[in-house]
Structures are given as C-alpha cells and as structure tokens.
Amino acid sequence: RPLPVTRLADVLARHGNKNPFFMNHVLSVRQFTRDDLHLLFAVAQEMRTGVQRAGMVPLLSGRVMASVFYEPSSRTASSLQAAMLRLGGQVFTASSETSSVAKGETLEDSVRTFGSYADVIALRHPQPGSVQGAARFANTPVINAGDGVGEHPTQAMLDTFTIREELGTVNGLTVTLVGDLKNGRTVHSLARVLAQYKNVTLNYVAPAGLGMPGSVKRDVALRAPYVVQTEYSELSDEILANTDVLYITRVQKERFDNLDEYEQAKSMFVVDNSLMRKCKRNMIVMHPLPRVGEVAPEVDTDQRAAYFRQMQYGMFVRMALLALVLCRDF
C-alpha cells in the first residue's frame, strides 16, 4: 500500500511547516541546525516505510537529477541514484572521463551545463571547496557528494540517522573515530554534526600525522565548548570499554604521496572478533565503506556491526533530502 502523502505533510506540520532545505544547495553540515536534521530524519523514516510498503514514494515524477562524479564512488553515487529513482524521478550521469572535462572544460561551465538539463545536481570532486565554488554558478540546487578531503554532508546526515536508529539517541554518547582522520571527509562532517548534541564525547584515534585537522576541532569547540575532544595514538582497552559508537575509516591510499607511509599506517587499527570482545554489548561499529582490511569479515555476523545497515539507511536519508530540496511541502 503506497505511503499516504498526508503522513509527510504531518511531519512537516510538526516542524512548523518550515522547510529549510527547499531549493537550497547542500554544501556543508554547518548550514543546518539540529532541528533541521530532525526534520530530515523524520522524513527519512517515512521514506523507509514507503519503500517497504510499495517500493517507492513517487514525489518527484518528472524531475531529473544530474549525478556528476569526478572521483570513484559505489555507495554515494548509487544510493543517490536509487533515491531519485525510488522517488519517481530520473537520473543522468557524468564523470571526468565521459564529460567535456576531458577536453579541458572548467567545472563551473560543466555545472552550468548540467543545471540546464536537471532539477538538482549531485556533485563529487577531488578538490576541497570545489563544490562550494561551483555552486555559485549553478541555477539549480547542488548537493555536495564529497569534495576531496573537505566535507561529505550527506554521509554525516546518514551516519547520525544510523546512530539514532540503532541506539535511540545521540545525546550522551561516546563516539570514537578511528583511522585516517586527516583525509577522511566523512569524519570531518560527522564531528561537526555530533557537536550539536548534548554531552557527547569525541575520541580521535589516528596514526601519527593523520589526526583530526585543527580546523575541524576548532569548529567543534566553537559550536559546542562542552563537547569533550581527546586525541589518541592507540585504541586502548579503556577507550573500547567506554565507546558507544566505534566509527572506523580506511587509510586512504589515494591521498598519500609516499606509499611507504601508507603501508605503515594502513594496518595500524584492525577491528576483529578479539577486539570486539573488549567492547560494550550495546555499542555499534560503523564504517562509511569501502573497507580495505581495517574491519575483518568475521565481524560482519556480530549484531553490533552496523555498517551494512548504515549503507541502507543512507538511501532513505538521501530520499528525504532530495524530496525536501525539490518539494516546498507535501
């Protein structure tokens, strides 16, 4: 049975009939308040119900999304495309190999072009800040699908949604971020979102030289001086015993100039069954994926391994985001 549109209208009414996403670019998590995110999450829950009931929620019939990825992607690209299709819309794709970028066209001109054909543009680019710069030239909303080592706002949104769905709340949790925190745009955005919640503790565990950037830590401190941020070089038993969310990121080979340094860092932190025995029973392990050895396959059957559920939550959150960006109301 299809999802009644009145349910979505009720969600919007509970949030004052204000849609802060409508026809706006989605470039950084810093654009949105916690109330904005809770509206997004409430719509995402309805999207999940709608997909489970009927396979789709046809709010965007006749709308088109341009999926423009200048870096490789499996989950972000495919989940955004699946989200648009399950909303009844259509998608066309472009990349650095298939577009006129290969001929030397500027990103700004490409965005102008895609905006002429589409109602919304999902854009990934390897240069930090490039998506924000390109959005100035777009006449349609641009969604930042990852800009190099900068931000990944939709990932942070789905990560926060995952925590809420799995543990019931974000308030009061200890979140331990592990791996390449210097180059991991997912953790940059996530830390900024988590700073909006009460009594959150953030542990940063990284190899030498790959710690959380000072700019991110300053943003968190300015937004939420009461959030505890602590840096570590080892993932100790004490940290594990007090962690509610263990968020693992891969060491990103593509960001290294020196492969010897990459080889030294890539296997420093590995989650396996022996490590999981040191963790709480009611904690979760998250990973933005892909993984390249930092989470052993043997952990997949542990009920606390949330990374595949996290992946599915992502489609519902991106459905909600696209609907809110393109629909003033329901």
Side-chain angles (χ1 to χ4, degrees):
R1 193 170 73 247
L3 182 75
V5 175
T6 53
R7 287 186 53 161
L8 292 170
D10 289 345
V11 169
L12 199 56
R14 290 198 299 271
H15 289 80
N17 285 314
K18 295 179 181 178
N19 180 357
F21 299 92
F22 179 63
M23 295 306 291
N24 283 323
H25 301 308
V26 179
L27 305 175
S28 169
V29 293
R30 287 171 283 190
Q31 293 173 243
F32 304 107
T33 67
R34 187 171 65 171
D35 286 343
D36 296 340
L37 295 176
H38 287 178
L39 167 62
L40 177 71
F41 299 156
V43 175
Q45 289 173 327
E46 296 299 333
M47 293 299 172
R48 176 170 58 182
T49 300
V51 169
Q52 290 170 344
R53 283 184 174 186
M56 64 184 303
V57 183
L59 292 172
L60 299 183
S61 177
R63 301 297 189 96
V64 176
M65 181 181 78
S67 179
V68 184
F69 278 68
Y70 295 137
E71 278 191 321
S73 171
S74 293
R75 276 147 297 278
T76 303
S78 58
S79 72
L80 276 163
Q81 292 172 32
M84 190 66 180
L85 294 170
R86 287 190 182 273
L87 287 164
Q90 300 180 67
V91 180
F92 69 84
T93 63
S95 68
S96 55
E97 290 78 24
T98 61
S99 72
S100 290
V101 167
K103 303 175 183 178
E105 183 174 67
T106 65
L107 179 60
E108 290 79 8
D109 282 357
S110 294
V111 166
R112 286 187 178 103
T113 300
F114 300 134
S116 299
Y117 308 142
D119 300 288
V120 62
I121 301 169
L123 177 61
R124 171 172 290 187
H125 196 276
Q127 292 299 320
S130 56
V131 178
Q132 288 89 335
R136 295 200 303 269
F137 299 89
N139 58 1
T140 55
V142 173
I143 296 175
N144 182 357
D147 61 337
V149 299
E151 276 213 59
H152 197 345
T154 67
Q155 181 71 45
M157 291 169 178
L158 77 88
D159 289 341
T160 308
F161 181 77
T162 299
I163 294 170
R164 281 167 50 93
E165 291 298 299
E166 294 283 322
L167 298 178
T169 185
V170 179
N171 295 321
L173 298 184
T174 295
V175 181
T176 300
L177 307 174
V178 182
D180 184 354
L181 307 185
K182 175 184 177 182
N183 298 306
R185 59 191 169 211
T186 62
V187 292
H188 300 168
S189 293
L190 181 58
R192 290 175 169 124
V193 171
L194 295 177
Q196 299 197 42
Y197 289 85
K198 297 177 182 178
N199 303 319
V200 171
T201 297
L202 295 176
N203 296 325
Y204 304 137
V205 183
L210 297 179
M212 186 67 82
S215 59
V216 177
K217 291 183 290 184
R218 285 192 295 272
D219 278 355
V220 170
L222 286 171
R223 181 175 287 238
Y226 46 81
V227 169
V228 178
Q229 302 181 84
T230 310
E231 295 188 271
Y232 301 93
S233 59
E234 295 183 0
L235 187 56
S236 68
D237 292 358
E238 182 180 0
I239 294 172
L240 291 170
N242 290 290
T243 291
D244 299 296
V245 179
L246 185 62
Y247 193 102
I248 310 296
T249 64
R250 69 184 174 93
V251 176
Q252 301 186 29
K253 185 177 182 180
E254 66 270 27
R255 313 291 183 199
F256 278 76
D257 294 323
N258 187 323
L259 288 182
D260 290 336
E261 292 180 0
Y262 165 73
E263 292 295 332
Q264 186 176 8
K266 71 174 185 178
S267 300
M268 186 169 292
F269 303 111
V270 176
V271 178
D272 55 18
N273 283 343
S274 64
L275 182 142
M276 293 299 294
R277 285 192 283 272
K278 303 172 184 177
C279 298
K280 293 180 178 181
R281 288 187 176 183
N282 60 338
M283 57 83 71
I284 56 172
V285 179
M286 297 175 62
H287 194 308
L289 302 175
R291 59 178 170 183
V292 288
E294 61 279 354
V295 179
E298 64 185 22
V299 178
D300 296 352
T301 55
D302 191 310
Q303 64 179 1
R304 296 170 292 180
Y307 33 85
F308 293 127
R309 298 191 296 276
Q310 174 187 355
M311 181 174 60
Q312 188 176 40
Y313 291 139
M315 186 184 70
F316 304 132
V317 170
R318 288 171 174 138
M319 286 179 71
L321 183 63
L322 287 167
L324 286 165
V325 167
L326 293 177
C327 300
R328 183 187 297 275
D329 49 35
F330 303 111

